[in-house]
Amino acid sequence: MTTRIYVPCDSAALAVGADEVAALIAAEAAQRGLDIAVVRNGTRGLLWLETLVEVETPQGRTGFGPVDAADVPGLFDAGWASGHPLALGLVEEIPYLARQQRLTFARIGITEPRSLADYLAHDGYRGLRNALALAPAEIVATVTASGLRGRGGAAFPTGIKWNTVLKAPGTEKYIVCNADEGDSGTFADRIIMESDPFVLVEGMTIAGIAVGATRGYIYVRSEYPHAIARLEGAIAIARHHGYLGGDVLGSGRTFELEVRKGAGAYICGEETALLESVEGKRGIVRAKPPLPALAGLFGKPTVINNVLSLATVPVILDKGAAYYQDYGMGRSRGTLPVQLAGNIKHGGLIELAFGVTLREILYGYGGGSASGRPIKAVQVGGPLGAYLPESQWDTPLDYEAFAALWAVLGHGGIVVHDDRADMAKLARYAMEFCAIESCGKCTPCRIGSTRGVEVIDKIRTGVQPVQQIHLLRDLCDTMLNGSLCAMGGMTPYPVLSALNHFPQDFGQPDTSRHAA
């Protein structure tokens, strides 16, 4: 009987030698005359354990990790037994994984990402089949009732956006997926595209059927070559088997998909700059109105959603709006894929229902800092997200609760810093990042960020710090209220949160805290 051994093909695993591990397992098995099939699955998201090797047993898949090439002969010598030092027991029972609520990531790490048969065997394309039995307005109503919101920055209700495009006049409409995952500490989009690409293809197809769009574009950053290859492969397979094309599953509906590569500009994560780039132009922000839902790609009504939003649509159409809405709290329904990075012991991806606290994530899942030192600050929501001090870690992960703190959840990326972090230096980095990545269209962002770097440098070197801090606050107010898009409008978040919560790093006493 053939024993199946799973070795991830995700970029994180490849970076630590997964290909070599897989090749050595196959070679060692052949040398020993063992009937073993090596399967390249996606990642489980337990990135600190990569390369995580799983062995199929009658009880379930048992894990070993982190495995490198030198460990392979010894694992065979031990018969892949539970007593081996790298043995983790049943993978599904590892606490980090077992305590999650996986909806969008239900198949991640379980299936072989290149296999349509594997996808179908794990509830794939059930959502699309259900959608094809509904009228477009009914599909939109289901997504609206689920409470799904954008998993990018603005957290705009997905159903409302779809309804606007559905009702917009015109026979030519588009679906655009923003896969330009540029935020620090974020990798959930990449994991979806590399480990379960068919779910994104299915979600975009459902969106197209719902609003009357016949073509979609996935805008992927060029730094993701494995994701691009995986998506292009999945699109070709889906088209070959009738899940894309001129007659989707014999329904008479048309939907086609194409991957477009971004050139690495952070600003192209902003939806209108992204549209300019897809059209072959320089990625510069457009003024609104008109909204992309009414005049988007090539001037036509366009749905623009994040990877996570579109990849969540299939489970909603499969299991129903009430099923999805049953998770979460308040107006934040369903689950949020949280990405733990930075100075954290157990970095990786965690999918949890909204409502869990930051403290529980940092210590219950992350295991505290990797350095063993006290955690000082946590940045949530990418390079333009606020720095949260320990006093705010009991806030539940909820869009409105974070907004009340003058913070954002964004894409769910969490970057951890221990007590050695210099918050003034990190504030300077935020301004410098904005100066480098600004599209240059508006003065508050283009000039304000450059002046911000200069002002923070003066504060850090003790040149009239009180006056310079007052100037920095005025500058942030101008950027916040005068910038054309969130690039300049959100740069004040990390700067002011660092200044407000960690004044000592700016040479000021702890008592000099101001409201943002």
Side-chain angles (χ1 to χ4, degrees), residues 310-332:
L310 290 163
T312 301
V313 168
V315 71
I316 293 172
L317 268 295
D318 176 16
K319 299 184 182 298
Y323 173 85
Y324 189 76
Q325 195 195 51
D326 194 45
Y327 293 85
M329 63 176 287
R331 290 178 53 217
S332 300

Side-chain angles (χ1 to χ4, degrees), residues 327-352:
Y327 293 85
M329 63 176 287
R331 290 178 53 217
S332 300
R333 310 312 308 176
T335 58
L336 177 70
V338 174
Q339 299 122 92
L340 269 176
N343 194 334
I344 193 74
K345 186 176 181 181
H346 295 152
L349 181 129
I350 314 157
E351 186 177 2
L352 297 169

